[in-house]
Amino acid sequence: MQSPTYLHDLLASTLFTEGLDGDMDLWALGFSAIWIKGTDLDTLAPIYQLDLSTRTPCHLSEILDRNIDDESLWVAEAGDWISIVPATADRDHLLSITAGGREALGLSMDISNRDYLHYARDGRLVTSFSPSQPELRFGDDPYALDHLMDGLRFQISADDVFDDRVDREESVSSALALIGRFTGTGIAADWFEAQHSCIRPTS
């Protein structure tokens, strides 16, 4: 049986090399990613200032060094979806990027221990919530993704809960699993472990 934190642990171990501080985590570093459907790279290139002539094969494990060196972004295609890491994943950006019939999911974590999952379609916010505090939801249809949440656990446990706790790593794993279910892709095999592309920004 897989650990309930498997996807979080896989993402963290893929991103962080042995040379990084042992205390580094997805919140300390800051993590943001977007998954977009209904468009192609030629359309996205000017939005994200991508120089498609610089596209080279790349694993997610390489993106930190590449991004530090030349601000490259990891661009991954699976099924009908395109993912970009790192990428702005806030609500305003998702509303802008989905105008005209697109849809997008954005996941982000920051050093202030805030995490967000947003889903937008056709320029409107469908649902938005914090994986660690999912009871507060926003959007036109706040419970639009609930049918895909079977077996997933988000709400982190209070400090006085000792048995079968839900920690923030499990809530992030649940959010990643939810993204995989929604996009119809394997978060591990199709995204984190697969070779995709690194693309440098335009000059």
Side-chain angles (χ1 to χ4, degrees):
M1 173 181 285
Q2 284 184 343
S3 161
T5 65
Y6 167 68
L7 289 174
H8 163 274
D9 298 343
L10 176 62
L11 175 58
S13 65
T14 300
L15 284 174
F16 301 141
T17 63
E18 293 180 1
L20 288 177
D21 188 329
D23 293 329
M24 185 67 73
D25 60 27
L26 295 175
W27 288 267
L29 176 71
F31 174 81
S32 61
I34 190 169
W35 287 260
I36 310 166
K37 181 181 179 181
T39 189
D40 55 32
L41 276 183
D42 287 337
T43 302
L44 293 177
I47 298 172
Y48 290 98
Q49 299 181 322
L50 300 172
D51 181 353
L52 296 184
S53 69
T54 68
R55 184 176 185 177
T56 57
C58 178
H59 285 94
L60 183 59
S61 58
E62 302 171 60
I63 192 54
L64 281 185
D65 288 340
R66 295 276 192 102
N67 187 257
I68 291 169
D69 288 344
D70 57 22
E71 300 182 328
S72 286
L73 301 181
W74 190 68
V75 180
E77 299 174 85
D80 297 327
W81 293 82
I82 297 172
S83 181
I84 300 176
V85 180
T88 301
D90 61 38
R91 282 180 280 186
D92 289 342
H93 179 67
L94 263 68
L95 298 185
S96 173
I97 200 69
T98 58
R102 304 184 192 107
E103 54 187 317
L105 290 155
L107 177 65
S108 63
M109 288 159 268
D110 66 30
I111 198 169
S112 299
N113 286 327
R114 294 172 297 194
D115 49 40
Y116 299 101
L117 178 66
H118 307 301
Y119 168 50
R121 182 177 61 232
D122 201 18
R124 300 181 65 87
L125 183 67
V126 179
T127 185
S128 172
F129 63 91
S130 165
S132 58
Q133 295 180 312
E135 72 280 2
L136 298 175
R137 304 189 194 187
F138 307 92
D140 293 345
D141 187 2
Y143 302 98
L145 303 180
D146 279 25
H147 66 290
L148 298 171
M149 294 185 183
D150 185 47
L152 303 179
R153 304 197 307 166
F154 294 91
Q155 179 68 54
I156 59 174
S157 302
D159 291 340
D160 59 354
V161 174
F162 300 102
D163 295 327
D164 201 24
R165 288 180 54 85
V166 177
D167 295 312
R168 64 181 188 174
E169 290 82 5
E170 183 176 355
S171 71
V172 169
S173 283
S174 293
L176 293 168
L178 177 60
I179 291 169
R181 291 176 183 183
F182 188 80
T183 60
T185 58
I187 282 291
D190 291 338
W191 300 106
F192 298 164
E193 297 174 329
Q195 186 179 60
H196 290 287
S197 301
C198 283
I199 304 178
R200 295 201 301 268
T202 53
S203 302

